[in-house]
Amino acid sequence: MKSAHFILALSILALASPFAYASDPSPLQDFCVAINDPKDGVFVNGKFCRDPKLAKADDFYYSGLNIPRNTSNPVGSTVTPVNVAQIPGLNTLGISLARIDFAPNGGLNPPHTHPRATEILLVVEGTLYVGFVTSNTDNRLITKVLYPGDVFVFPQGLVHFQFNVGNTNAVAFAGLSSQNPGVISIANAVFGSNPPINPDLLVKAFQLDKNVVKNLQSKFWWPNN
């Protein structure tokens, strides 16, 4: 009898375990608004999948990350992403890549976050000053100067940056733990939003003169990402 009870309990646990461990998938875009009528358009958390029988080599391939990018722009850097938009085969695999080129003497990948990914950065050329800021209330700055062959990790969602402190070009490659990590450049989001954030709000938040805020909002914020 005890054996029967044990088998019954084990069976119930086995049936219940998938529900106990079930959870929503991590978001793969900024939001996904639920709809009742599919005629309004259907979007999924990620992308629809092709029939596996129709997959081909080019679905898993990208070429050109060896080519230096033009860094003649206001921030002196260019990011070349390789995510699911460039390699369809990355869909559902939770990984992507980027090449980052920096101009000499101050090329900057400005403070930004990846809302859906942790980043691991490998420097292959040049000297980069990198860092991230921890969350409230500590807001602790963690930084390091990196040289070729050095690796640094930026935890998911934290504000981080890379700055070329050398007098030559710098190149780094970043691995990210999402097929679509997303990028929020802080200055672009705060002062370059569309439509603009109410200047009075920014005056109070940043303790700045209103004319300074309006001047910042009038600038073109370079989208190096």
Side-chain angles (χ1 to χ4, degrees):
M1 192 66 167
K2 288 182 179 180
S3 176
H5 286 165
F6 176 77
I7 293 171
L8 178 61
L10 194 63
S11 300
I12 292 171
L13 286 172
L15 289 170
S17 61
F19 301 100
Y21 289 100
S23 64
D24 290 337
S26 297
L28 294 172
Q29 58 243 358
D30 289 342
F31 50 80
C32 185
V33 179
I35 59 171
N36 294 320
D37 191 346
K39 75 180 182 186
D40 293 332
V42 177
F43 291 82
V44 296
N45 188 25
K47 292 182 177 290
F48 290 107
C49 298
R50 174 182 294 164
D51 184 338
K53 296 185 182 67
L54 301 178
K56 53 188 185 300
D58 283 348
D59 293 331
F60 305 89
Y61 172 79
Y62 178 88
S63 179
L65 275 190
N66 61 314
I67 301 171
R69 265 50 180 188
N70 183 3
T71 56
S72 298
N73 57 60
V75 295
S77 74
T78 296
V79 178
T80 305
V82 183
N83 54 43
V84 69
Q86 288 76 37
I87 302 181
L90 286 177
N91 192 34
T92 76
L93 297 185
I95 194 169
S96 60
L97 179 70
R99 172 185 172 126
I100 314 165
D101 289 86
F102 300 85
N105 301 308
L108 171 68
N109 192 11
H112 62 281
T113 73
H114 299 294
R116 296 180 286 275
T118 291
E119 175 181 343
I120 185 166
L121 185 84
L122 168 67
V123 177
V124 295
E125 290 181 31
T127 306
L128 294 179
Y129 170 68
V130 307
F132 63 86
V133 180
T134 64
S135 57
N136 297 356
T137 56
D138 289 342
N139 297 130
R140 188 158 66 98
L141 176 62
I142 297 175
T143 65
K144 188 79 174 173
V145 175
L146 304 182
Y147 303 93
D150 290 348
V151 172
F152 198 81
V153 173
F154 305 100
Q156 180 173 338
L158 297 187
V159 176
H160 61 282
F161 58 85
Q162 298 105 28
F163 184 61
N164 186 0
V165 293
N167 56 13
T168 63
N169 292 324
V171 179
F173 289 89
L176 299 119
S177 61
S178 171
Q179 69 184 50
N180 181 23
V183 181
I184 301 173
S185 298
I186 306 306
N188 303 48
V190 173
F191 297 108
S193 66
N194 184 23
I197 297 173
N198 186 325
D200 293 330
L201 185 155
L202 297 178
V203 164
K204 193 164 189 177
F206 289 92
Q207 300 295 294
L208 294 173
D209 182 87
K210 193 167 186 176
N211 289 327
V212 173
V213 169
K214 287 186 173 181
N215 179 54
L216 289 170
Q217 289 184 310
S218 70
K219 294 182 180 295
F220 174 74
W221 295 95
W222 185 264
N224 76 319
N225 280 280

